[in-house]
Amino acid sequence: MYKRILTIQDISCVGQCSLTVALPILSACGLETVILPSAILSTHTGGFTGFTFRDLTDDLDGIAEHWAKEGIFFDGLYTGYLGSARQIDQVLSIASSRLKEGSPLIVDPAMADNGKLYPGFDEKFVEAMKRLTVKADILLPNITEACFLTGTEYRENYDEAYVKELVEKLAANDRQIVVLTGVGYKEDKTGVVVYENGEMKYYEHDRIAKGCHGTGDVYASAFVGAFVNGKTPYEAAVIAADYTVECIRGTQDDPDHWYGVKFEPQLKKLIDRI
C-alpha cells in the first residue's frame, strides 16, 4: 500500500536537519511525504550566527483548513521541532481531524539535550509538550527530554534501573510505545531502548565520540520510514540506529562538514534494510 505521511517541523535551509532531512529520508523509504513547516530558518542554530528566522504559526491553521476542504487525510503523522505552545495545539487539532483511523501519531519531542532545554524553550513549553506526548502512539525522546517530560533528575551516569523508571514514567498508557535514544551503559557504547507492552528491549552500538548536528532528526525519520513500512518498533529502532551510525561514520573524515551528517550517500543502505 502506498502511504501518505505528514511531517510537521521547521525548515533549516542549510544544516541537514528537520525537514531537509525528513523529506528525503521518508521519500526514499517509498512514502508520499507531505510537509507542514513550523518555521523557516536560513540555517540551523547550532554553530551558525546571524541566521534568519520566520515563524509560520499563523499559516498552519489555514493550511489545515484547506486540507479539510479537499478531503485530504494521512496514514501517519510525525512531528519534530515545534516552536511554540500554540503550534502544539495546532498539531493536536490536525492529528484529531486529518489522521485516518488507526494511523499512528509519532512524536519526537525535540526540545532538549545534554541536560538542558534548547534556547528559547522553558518549563511552560515542556508542560505544553506533555499534552502532545500523552496522545502519541510512539514517543521518540532522548534521555534529557525524557527527564523533562517526567520530572526526573538528569544523570550523565546511570544504570538499567534508572532507564526502566524513565520509560515506565513516560508511557502514558498500555498501548503507547517509547523509543528512548542515546542510552549508554558503557563509555564506548550507546544505544536505544524500546519499551512496548511492559517489556524493555535494548539495542547497543558503538558510540562515536565526535557528535554531529541533526542526527536525532536522521534517526527519527529513518525510524518512521521503517515502521510505516511494516517493521516492528524494535526492528525499526535497530534499522534507524545502524543507519544513523553509518551517516556519522561517513562524515567523520571531513572537517568542513561540521554542520550535519552526510546522510544522502547512505540512503541505499537504509532502503535495502527496509
Side-chain angles (χ1 to χ4, degrees), residues 181-203:
T181 61
V183 180
Y185 302 117
K186 305 171 187 174
E187 187 174 340
D188 60 341
K189 297 289 184 180
T190 187
V192 56
V193 165
V194 178
Y195 183 72
E196 182 180 11
N197 297 324
E199 182 182 358
M200 191 169 76
K201 295 182 180 179
Y202 180 54
Y203 179 67

Side-chain angles (χ1 to χ4, degrees), residues 233-264:
Y234 182 75
E235 289 170 342
V238 170
I239 289 170
D242 290 345
Y243 174 65
T244 304
V245 170
E246 286 299 312
C247 293
I248 297 172
R249 283 178 174 150
T251 312
Q252 291 294 290
D253 294 334
D254 187 351
D256 294 328
H257 203 96
W258 55 268
Y259 50 84
V261 290
K262 299 178 181 179
F263 70 92
E264 301 93 342

Side-chain angles (χ1 to χ4, degrees), residues 18-30:
S18 55
L19 283 179
T20 59
V21 165
L23 176 57
I25 289 177
L26 293 172
S27 297
C29 291

Side-chain angles (χ1 to χ4, degrees), residues 59-78:
D59 296 287
L60 302 190
D61 288 338
I63 292 170
E65 288 168 6
H66 183 220
W67 288 345
K69 290 177 182 177
E70 294 294 330
I72 295 171
F73 292 90
F74 303 100
D75 299 297
L77 196 168
Y78 151 45

Side-chain angles (χ1 to χ4, degrees), residues 28-29 266-274:
C29 291
Q266 308 300 330
L267 278 171
K268 186 178 184 304
K269 293 180 180 178
L270 175 62
I271 295 167
D272 289 343
R273 290 284 296 275
I274 293 174

Side-chain angles (χ1 to χ4, degrees), residues 72-121:
I72 295 171
F73 292 90
F74 303 100
D75 299 297
L77 196 168
Y78 151 45
T79 69
Y81 184 97
L82 301 172
S84 67
R86 183 180 165 196
Q87 287 186 354
I88 288 171
D89 291 330
Q90 290 170 317
V91 168
L92 286 167
S93 176
I94 291 168
S96 65
S97 64
R98 311 280 19 110
L99 268 179
K100 294 179 183 177
E101 185 176 354
S103 297
L105 170 60
I106 303 171
V107 174
D108 175 5
M111 61 180 180
D113 203 1
N114 298 315
K116 298 179 180 179
L117 290 169
Y118 294 148
F121 290 149

